[in-house]
Amino acid sequence: MAGGWLRSVEDLLRDDDSGDDGFDEPDPEEYGYGYGRSCRDLGEYTQIVLIDGHVVDSARHPISGSQYECAALELDHRRGLPPAPVTRTVEVRVPPHEAMDHWLERVVGSREALASLAGQPLPESTPVDPSAAADAERDLMQAVDHELERASAGWVVTHEVLTACRRLLVAAEQAGMLRIWRDLEPAKVAAIIVHCIAKANGLVGQGAAFTVAHWLRDLGTTAAPATRSRTLAETIGGAQWPHGTAPTEVPDVYVLGDPSMLVSRFRTELIHYRDLARRHEQG
């Protein structure tokens, strides 16, 4: 078996000595580069030394730049393998203060809203006026508002959160969400509104003083309606951070894009973030 293999190598080398390798030189314009100047790694070829039909030495050499480069290119061409483009991933880092500014603008809705952001408490609210709602949603809207007011009696922060919830209820109706939820019980819709406002203001989650149960227990549930709540937030304010990864320093909150739905404590935190970013930019 070994002898047959040696003879086949010897025959191959004898054929090679004829000076005709059996391949035409490829057109440089077809491949995009000239002979001996390949911009691809074509691999290696093996050089075998025979004495009296026996292999006594072998060595591997790069094909690129050798006399066998055109043959290697032609073999690739015949297999239908186009030259593989070289791609590199380049990471572009946004300066931290710019990333923070962009995130803050998302949370409050615009650069102008961020510049004028103030920390005064939200005013006490009155019951929502359902007269502008579509006929099919008016009763539900009024019933949800009643559930919100009833539940707020047990909250530590009462009137600001209730005001924010009522404003979100109006925005939800205008966005057509009450039409989608028209078969839900009013208390369940109210729970979605409350959970969304709590998440948008950092009132629940890591480091928060109260759990989800505190805000929802008077609505007959302690389980977060997380899926519907997030859908509502994305309908009103869009995705939390549509540009990849949000800055690592920011809290994990829903984005509503409207400071009128943010309580004073959270807006004060945003002002602090804003001023830090401004000082870093100027310094």
Side-chain angles (χ1 to χ4, degrees), residues 226-240:
T227 301
R228 288 191 174 109
S229 175
R230 180 173 290 278
T231 298
L232 175 59
E234 292 181 352
T235 300
I236 301 299
Q240 180 191 37

Side-chain angles (χ1 to χ4, degrees), residues 147-148 150-152 154-155 161 165 187-199 204 210-226 229:
E147 292 291 335
L148 292 173
R150 181 181 62 79
S152 69
W155 297 341
V161 176
C165 286
K188 292 187 181 297
V189 177
I192 298 169
I193 298 290
V194 173
H195 183 261
C196 189
I197 286 296
K199 286 289 292 182
V204 295
F210 300 96
T211 64
V212 170
H214 168 76
W215 301 101
L216 300 182
R217 63 189 176 194
D218 290 330
L219 292 169
T221 181
T222 56
S229 175

Side-chain angles (χ1 to χ4, degrees), residues 95-98 274-283:
H97 65 276
E98 290 186 16
R274 179 197 67 187
D275 293 346
L276 282 177
R278 295 287 192 271
R279 284 198 295 271
H280 184 86
E281 183 178 7
Q282 294 168 0

Side-chain angles (χ1 to χ4, degrees), residues 8-71:
S8 65
V9 172
E10 186 176 9
D11 292 342
L12 176 63
L13 294 177
R14 186 181 299 110
D15 291 341
D16 191 74
D17 288 339
S18 67
D20 180 8
D21 57 12
F23 300 108
D24 295 326
E25 181 174 335
D27 183 357
E29 292 187 1
E30 178 182 1
Y31 289 98
Y33 32 73
Y35 174 75
R37 293 177 304 184
S38 171
C39 61
R40 292 180 58 194
D41 180 10
L42 299 175
E44 297 178 329
Y45 70 93
T46 302
Q47 184 180 48
I48 301 174
V49 178
L50 295 175
I51 296 179
D52 294 331
H54 297 279
V55 177
V56 296
D57 194 15
S58 65
R60 297 179 68 83
H61 304 284
I63 295 175
S64 296
S66 73
Q67 61 182 316
Y68 305 110
E69 181 171 311
C70 289

Side-chain angles (χ1 to χ4, degrees), residues 3-282:
W5 181 82
L6 290 173
R7 284 196 300 275
S8 65
V9 172
E10 186 176 9
D11 292 342
L12 176 63
L13 294 177
R14 186 181 299 110
D15 291 341
D16 191 74
D17 288 339
S18 67
D20 180 8
D21 57 12
F23 300 108
D24 295 326
E25 181 174 335
D27 183 357
E29 292 187 1
E30 178 182 1
Y31 289 98
Y33 32 73
Y35 174 75
R37 293 177 304 184
S38 171
C39 61
R40 292 180 58 194
D41 180 10
L42 299 175
E44 297 178 329
Y45 70 93
T46 302
Q47 184 180 48
I48 301 174
V49 178
L50 295 175
I51 296 179
D52 294 331
H54 297 279
V55 177
V56 296
D57 194 15
S58 65
R60 297 179 68 83
H61 304 284
I63 295 175
S64 296
S66 73
Q67 61 182 316
Y68 305 110
E69 181 171 311
C70 289
L73 291 171
E74 182 64 22
L75 285 172
D76 246 10
H77 184 62
R78 288 182 177 179
R79 294 189 192 106
L81 302 175
V86 178
T87 60
R88 293 180 177 86
T89 301
V90 179
E91 182 179 358
V92 179
R93 292 182 59 84
V94 177
H97 65 276
E98 290 186 16
M100 179 63 74
D101 264 348
H102 295 164
W103 182 82
L104 291 168
E105 290 168 15
R106 290 280 302 126
V107 172
V108 300
S110 68
R111 177 171 290 273
E112 293 73 23
L114 179 60
S116 61
L117 196 62
Q120 293 94 339
L122 295 176
E124 292 192 35
S125 63
T126 57
V128 298
D129 178 8
S131 60
D135 293 343
E137 282 82 56
R138 285 178 188 170
D139 289 344
L140 177 58
M141 189 175 186
Q142 195 165 16
V144 171
D145 184 66
H146 174 73
E147 292 291 335
L148 292 173
E149 185 166 15
R150 181 181 62 79
S152 69
W155 297 341
V156 172
V157 183
T158 301
H159 80 261
E160 278 201 84
V161 176
L162 178 57
T163 296
C165 286
R166 280 174 162 161
R167 289 174 173 176
L168 181 57
L169 174 59
V170 172
E173 188 281 323
Q174 292 173 346
M177 296 304 293
L178 294 190
R179 184 170 62 255
I180 296 173
W181 297 334
R182 63 179 179 270
D183 294 330
L184 295 179
E185 297 175 5
K188 292 187 181 297
V189 177
I192 298 169
I193 298 290
V194 173
H195 183 261
C196 189
I197 286 296
K199 286 289 292 182
N201 283 273
L203 297 173
V204 295
Q206 185 175 4
F210 300 96
T211 64
V212 170
H214 168 76
W215 301 101
L216 300 182
R217 63 189 176 194
D218 290 330
L219 292 169
T221 181
T222 56
T227 301
R228 288 191 174 109
S229 175
R230 180 173 290 278
T231 298
L232 175 59
E234 292 181 352
T235 300
I236 301 299
Q240 180 191 37
W241 186 248
H243 310 299
T245 304
T248 56
E249 303 87 352
V250 304
D252 181 21
V253 296
Y254 288 174
V255 168
L256 298 178
D258 187 346
S260 73
M261 300 183 200
L262 304 179
V263 299
S264 57
R265 180 197 59 77
F266 186 59
R267 276 181 283 118
T268 300
E269 291 183 14
L270 297 181
I271 291 170
H272 177 68
Y273 283 124
R274 179 197 67 187
D275 293 346
L276 282 177
R278 295 287 192 271
R279 284 198 295 271
H280 184 86
E281 183 178 7
Q282 294 168 0

